[in-house]
Amino acid sequence: TQVSLHDRRVVHVEALARWQHPELGWISPAEFIPLAEQTALINPLTDWVMQHALQQNRQFLDAGHALKVSINASPASLSEDGFDDGLLQRCKALGLEPQHIELEFTEGMLATNSTRAIDQLSNLRKAGVAVALDDFGSGYSNLSYIAHIPADVLKIDQSFVRPLKQAGDDDFLLCHIISIAQGLGFRVCAEGIETAHAFDRLRELGCEEGQGYFMARPMAADRLLDWLGTRH
């Protein structure tokens, strides 16, 4: 879940891929997603996640929870011709508005510098889909790229947030990342908030949104619906 740091209101849910292998048990996405990205499997995997996430968001809306659902897209998917139209058509078929969707991509797409990917992100933004740069700072962040990418949200990687455990912990880089991002017009979301101190400090720094174990751990959709009902 992703919450407003101002009033703790839940504003987004993110679709997370998890693999329960019949013999190996739970396999982390940190293991299978990079492998899928090296093969042709990443596109059908993205397609499957997208369809299920949109269907689930339809259920959230029907239950009275007006949330955006965040979906991760790989550089390969974004470079695939017709990705933008396909996403918008799926939304229409389920009676979803583009404003119900946030599409996330990582810095890897910036490295490929794909014109088609940039064009499709621009088209989706014009249609009303929010676009987020995920895990900022985990790779080779290039401010000259970031200043020109078609995105609304910058999500700060958890490696900058998790060290915030108590008063006096170093937050120099975090302060400047938030300042630069907001100066470029991004809404800022901090990943990996695990303590009350981190939550409060990020709010003091002006960070708009956050996600992490302090608010809620990842959970299945049915449990999330129950949790949202209890929370409200």
Side-chain angles (χ1 to χ4, degrees):
T1 59
Q2 191 168 311
V3 305
S4 164
L5 299 190
H6 173 67
D7 57 12
R8 297 177 182 259
R9 176 174 50 90
V10 179
V11 290
H12 290 64
V13 290
E14 181 177 354
L16 303 175
R18 296 292 185 266
W19 182 9
Q20 186 174 20
H21 192 278
E23 297 178 3
L24 302 177
W26 286 105
I27 301 176
S28 168
E31 294 183 52
F32 68 82
I33 294 296
L35 292 174
E37 287 179 332
Q38 296 175 30
T39 71
L41 292 175
I42 191 61
N43 287 335
L45 176 59
T46 300
D47 188 66
W48 185 89
V49 170
M50 183 185 303
Q51 183 63 28
H52 281 73
L54 295 176
Q55 290 172 341
Q56 189 60 61
N57 201 31
R58 178 69 267 169
Q59 294 180 35
F60 290 146
L61 292 168
D62 291 343
H65 304 295
L67 303 172
K68 286 183 184 288
V69 62
S70 296
I71 304 169
N72 292 277
S74 72
S77 296
L78 283 168
S79 298
E80 189 177 40
D81 189 33
F83 176 85
D84 50 354
D85 290 335
L87 174 56
L88 295 174
Q89 288 170 7
R90 287 171 188 257
C91 288
K92 185 176 181 180
L94 289 166
L96 297 172
E97 297 295 331
Q99 290 78 10
H100 294 140
I101 309 300
E102 181 173 274
L103 193 69
E104 299 187 11
F105 68 96
T106 62
E107 295 173 28
M109 198 213 75
L110 301 181
T112 64
N113 195 23
S114 168
T115 301
R116 180 178 291 168
I118 294 292
D119 288 345
Q120 295 201 88
L121 288 174
S122 298
N123 292 339
L124 289 168
R125 284 188 76 206
K126 290 175 183 176
V129 174
V131 175
L133 174 58
D134 196 18
D135 298 335
F136 177 77
S138 61
Y140 296 97
S141 306
N142 188 321
L143 292 178
S144 65
Y145 278 129
I146 293 165
H148 298 98
I149 60 171
D152 308 280
V153 183
L154 186 145
K155 301 183 74 173
I156 301 174
D157 187 68
Q158 59 189 353
S159 61
F160 294 97
V161 178
R162 283 185 170 172
L164 284 181
K165 299 183 184 300
Q166 59 187 6
D169 286 340
D170 184 16
D171 58 13
F172 176 82
L173 284 176
L174 198 56
C175 292
H176 286 279
I177 290 173
I178 293 172
S179 178
I180 291 171
Q182 292 177 333
L184 291 172
F186 293 106
R187 188 170 77 253
V188 181
C189 174
E191 301 176 313
I193 299 176
E194 297 185 350
T195 65
H197 170 70
F199 185 101
D200 293 338
R201 181 57 179 150
L202 285 160
R203 182 168 55 185
E204 289 174 2
L205 293 174
C207 184
E208 291 94 343
E209 297 173 3
Q211 61 187 95
Y213 287 2
F214 177 68
M215 289 80 79
R217 290 177 176 267
M219 63 187 87
D222 54 349
R223 287 186 57 204
L224 178 58
L225 271 173
D226 291 340
W227 181 81
L228 288 169
T230 303
R231 184 182 178 88
H232 287 299

